[in-house]
Amino acid sequence: MDESKAPRPRRGRYRDPQAHAAVLRAARELVAELGYHKVTMERIAARAGVAKMTLYRWWPNKAAVITEAVTDQLAPGPQPDTGSVREDAGAHVTDLVRTLTLLGDPSVVAGALVERGEAGRAELRDLLVAWREPGAALLRRGIARGELPAALDIGAVIDSWLGYALYRVVFLESAPTEADLAGLVDALPYTRRKA
Amino acid sequence: MDESKAPRPRRGRYRDPQAHAAVLRAARELVAELGYHKVTMERIAARAGVAKMTLYRWWPNKAAVITEAVTDQLAPGPQPDTGSVREDAGAHVTDLVRTLTLLGDPSVVAGALVERGEAGRAELRDLLVAWREPGAALLRRGIARGELPAALDIGAVIDSWLGYALYRVVFLESAPTEADLAGLVDALPYTRRKA
Amino acid sequence: MDESKAPRPRRGRYRDPQAHAAVLRAARELVAELGYHKVTMERIAARAGVAKMTLYRWWPNKAAVITEAVTDQLAPGPQPDTGSVREDAGAHVTDLVRTLTLLGDPSVVAGALVERGEAGRAELRDLLVAWREPGAALLRRGIARGELPAALDIGAVIDSWLGYALYRVVFLESAPTEADLAGLVDALPYTRRKA
Amino acid sequence: MDESKAPRPRRGRYRDPQAHAAVLRAARELVAELGYHKVTMERIAARAGVAKMTLYRWWPNKAAVITEAVTDQLAPGPQPDTGSVREDAGAHVTDLVRTLTLLGDPSVVAGALVERGEAGRAELRDLLVAWREPGAALLRRGIARGELPAALDIGAVIDSWLGYALYRVVFLESAPTEADLAGLVDALPYTRRKA
DNA sequence: AATTAACCGAGACGGTACGTCACGTCTTTAA
DNA sequence: TTAAAGACGTGACGTACCGTCTCGGTTAATT
C-alpha cells in the first residue's frame, strides 16, 4: 500500500524553486528602488507573486530575506597576483569598494545590524570573512617577497581596509575615488620607497 | 558691531530647558538599558516626564533624539603630544575605541543610518569630523618631525582608523584589544625602524 | 436565475464572526456605561478582546462602530391594527419614544451626525425609514376607514412624529410623557370628534 | 455700608470688544466653510487674529464659542397676525426652517450636544424657547377665533413643528419644500374644512 | 508721573485619542 | 500536500486638538 520510498508520484503542488528565486530577485529590486527601510515583507511577496506566509516559511524575518538576497553579490571576485603588493592591494580594495557600492542602498548593511542583532552581526561577519582571506594572501605574498616587513600585523591592515570601505560607502555614502584608494594603499609600510 | 543679528526679542513661553535635558538623559539611559531597538518614543517621553508631542516638536523621529542624546558623549578628549607619532597615534585610536564602546548599544549608530538616511549620515559625518582634526594634527607633527614620509595621505590614514574602529566596535561588536591597536599603529610607513 | 451575484469562491481565512459580534456588544455596553464621548476605539477593542486594527479594518471610525452597534436595537417592533387610528398612532409613537430612550446616551445620534457627516446622515436616514412605513400604514388605514381626511399629507405627519420624538429624547433629553404623546396624537385632523 | 453690587471700580486694561467680535465672526465663517467638526480653536484664533488663550479666557470650550457665534442668527423674526391660523402657521414654520437652514453646517446643533452635554442642551433649550412663544401665540389666536378646537395640545403641536424642522434640516439635511410645510400645517385639526 | 492690575499676542507644554503601518501568526480553500 | 489569499493580535508610529501655563508687551485707572 505504502509506496513512500518509490520515485514517488506525489500529490499536491511541488515546492517551487522559481518562487524562491523570485523572492530574492524581488527583494534585490525593491531595495534598489525604495531603499532598505521602505521594503516590506508585503511588498516583497506581492512583487514576487508569492504569499507572505511563504516568506516566513523560509526566512525568519525581513532582514534575513534581504541579507540573503544581497549576499550573492558580495562575494569577492578572483584576486590577481601581479607580483607587486601595491598593485594587488590596489586591485583588492577597488574590488571591495565596487562590490559594496553595488548594493542599491548601503543602509542594507546597517539594517541587518539594527534588526537582527547578534544574528545579523554573525551573518555580516561570515560575509566579510570571505574578503579577509584574499587580502591576507596578498599581504603574505608581499612579506614573502620582502616588500613588507615580516612583523606586519596582517589582521590589522585587513580590518582597516574593510573598515575604510564600509565607513566610506555605508556610513558616509561617499565612495572613495581611485586617488583615495591609492593613498590608502600607499600608507602601507613598504620596505622600499616607491619607484 | 553688527546689529542685524540682534536676537529678535521673542514672545511666548520659552522652551523648557529642563524638559529638553530630561529627554536626552532618558534617551541615553534607555538605550543603555534596553538597547537601541527596544527604545520607543513613548518610553522616552514617559521616562522624561514629557509629552510625546514635545518630542516630535523638537526632533523628527526616534533616531534623531537618540543621535543627539548620544552625540555629547562622543567628542574626542584632549590629545597629548608626546613627541612620538607612535605613541600619539596609539593614544588617539585607543581613545576613539573607548569612546565608541561607551555607547551602551552599538546599533545606535546603525539605527541613525537606517532610519534617518541623509540626515543621519550628515550628523554622523559632523560627529566624526571632530575626530579627524586631532588625528590629522598628530600625523602632521609626525611628518614635520620626519617620522613619517611627507607624501603620506593623511586623510586616507585617518579614515582607515575611523573605519577600523567603527567596523570592530559597531559592526562586529568585538572591540579591538590593545595589541590589535598596536598592530594598527605599527602599520604606518615610518621612515625609521621601530626602536 | 441571476448568476452574477454568485458569492465568488474566495480563499483565505474568514472574517471572525465572534469578533464582529463582540465589538458591537462592547460598543453598546460602553456607550451605556460611559456615554458616547468617553467611548474610545481603544476601549472598545480592549473590552471586545480584539485588536484596534481589526476595528479599523471593518469600520472607518468610532461613530461608524457605535452607529452599527446601536442600529439593531432601533428597529420598530410589530405594529398592531386595533381598528382605531387614535390607538394605533398612540402605540406607534409610544414605541418610537421607548426605542429611542433605550439608547444609553442620546448623544449617540448627534455623534453620528457630527463625526460622520453625509455617511452618518445616510445611515440615520436608512434607520428611520424603517419607522416611516409602519406609521404610513396606520395612517392609510385611518384614511381608508374615513377617520382621517383623504388629503392628509402622510409624509408630513410621520416626519413630525419622528421629529417630535428625536427632539424630545435626543435634543432636550426629556422624554415625553404618555399625556404628551396623547396630545400629539390628538392633534391629528380627525374627521369625527373624539368619542 | 457695603456696596458689593456696585460696579466695583476696576483697574487695568479693558476687554477688547473688537477681539470678541472678531472671534465670533471667525467662528461663523469657519463653520460655514469647513463644517462644525473641522473647526478648531486654533483655527478660530488664527482667523480672528487672536491668541488661543484669549478664547479660553472668555469661553469654556469650542462648542460654547460656536454656539454663541451662531445664536444671534437664530432668533425668530416678528410674527405677523393675518387673521388665519393656516397662514400664520405657514409663515411661522417657513421662518423656522429658513433660520435653521441659515447655519452653514447643520451639525452645529448636534455638535453642541455631543461636546457640551447638559450645558449644551440647556443652551439649545433656551434658544428654542424663543420660538415656542410665537408659535403658541398663533395657535391661541386660532383657538380664540374658533379655527382650532379648544382642547388642542398647544405644546405638542409646537414641539412637533420644532422637531420636524430640526429633523429635516439638521438630521436629514434635506430642507422641507413649501409643499412639505403646507402639508404639515394642513395636518392641524381645523374645525372647518379648507376653503 | 509712576505704579499696578487686567488684558493681549505668542507659543511651549502635558495629555488623550486618533488613524496608520508593518510585523509575524493563523486559518481556509484551491490547485 | 503545498501554497495563495487574507484575517488577526500586537506594538509603535506620527498627527491632531485639547485645555493649561508662562512669557513679554500694552492699556488704563489709581496713586
Side-chain angles (χ1 to χ4, degrees), chain C residues 13-24 50 58-59:
Chain C
R13 186 176 182 169
Y14 289 144
R15 174 172 177 177
D16 182 348
Q18 296 196 350
H20 191 258
V23 167
L24 295 181
V50 146
W58 302 111
W59 294 274

Side-chain angles (χ1 to χ4, degrees), chain D residues 23-177:
Chain D
V23 167
L24 295 181
R25 193 162 47 74
R28 260 193 307 274
E29 289 173 13
L30 287 169
V31 165
E33 289 169 24
L34 309 175
Y36 180 82
H37 99 285
K38 293 205 146 183
V39 177
T40 68
M41 290 301 246
E42 216 99 32
R43 270 194 260 262
I44 295 175
R47 170 77 62 104
V50 143
K52 190 160 56 133
M53 196 51 230
T54 301
L55 294 188
Y56 285 104
R57 242 191 292 274
W58 301 111
W59 294 274
N61 53 45
K62 166 178 144 182
V65 180
I66 295 185
T67 306
E68 180 176 334
V70 135
T71 292
D72 325 344
Q73 312 180 306
L74 293 186
Q79 306 287 318
D81 177 356
T82 63
S84 154
V85 165
R86 221 181 276 263
E87 289 190 24
D88 286 1
H92 181 73
V93 295
T94 301
D95 192 25
L96 173 58
V97 164
R98 190 190 46 70
T99 301
L100 288 176
T101 310
L102 197 131
L103 301 173
D105 176 5
S107 68
V108 171
V109 180
L113 296 184
V114 190
E115 286 168 35
R116 307 235 288 131
E118 192 41 55
R121 216 132 22 220
E123 210 142 324
L124 188 62
R125 187 157 34 230
D126 293 349
L127 198 155
L128 293 174
V129 158
W131 281 93
R132 292 182 62 89
E133 186 38 38
L138 76 86
L139 289 172
R140 277 194 302 266
R141 288 198 303 270
I143 293 171
R145 275 191 231 103
E147 291 182 87
L148 292 170
L152 184 72
D153 186 331
I154 291 178
V157 170
I158 292 180
D159 284 346
S160 74
W161 286 348
L162 282 171
Y164 180 85
L166 281 168
Y167 170 59
R168 293 292 304 256
V169 175
V170 173
F171 276 41
L172 301 188
E173 198 156 10
S174 106
T177 62

Side-chain angles (χ1 to χ4, degrees), chain C residues 103-127:
Chain C
L103 301 171
D105 176 2
S107 68
V108 169
V109 180
L113 297 183
V114 187
E115 287 167 37
R116 305 234 290 130
E118 190 42 52
R121 218 143 11 231
E123 211 143 322
L124 188 60
R125 188 159 31 233
D126 292 350
L127 196 157

Side-chain angles (χ1 to χ4, degrees), chain A residues 18-35 38-52 54-55 59 65-66 69:
Chain A
Q18 295 194 346
H20 192 262
V23 167
L24 296 181
R25 192 162 47 73
R28 260 192 308 274
E29 289 172 12
L30 287 169
V31 165
E33 288 170 25
L34 308 175
K38 292 205 146 183
V39 177
T40 68
M41 291 300 249
E42 216 98 33
R43 270 194 258 262
I44 295 175
R47 170 78 61 107
V50 144
K52 192 162 53 134
T54 302
L55 294 188
W59 294 274
V65 181
I66 296 185

Side-chain angles (χ1 to χ4, degrees), chain C residues 60-78:
Chain C
N61 52 45
K62 168 178 136 183
V65 180
I66 296 185
T67 305
E68 180 174 335
V70 137
T71 292
D72 323 343
Q73 310 181 307
L74 294 186

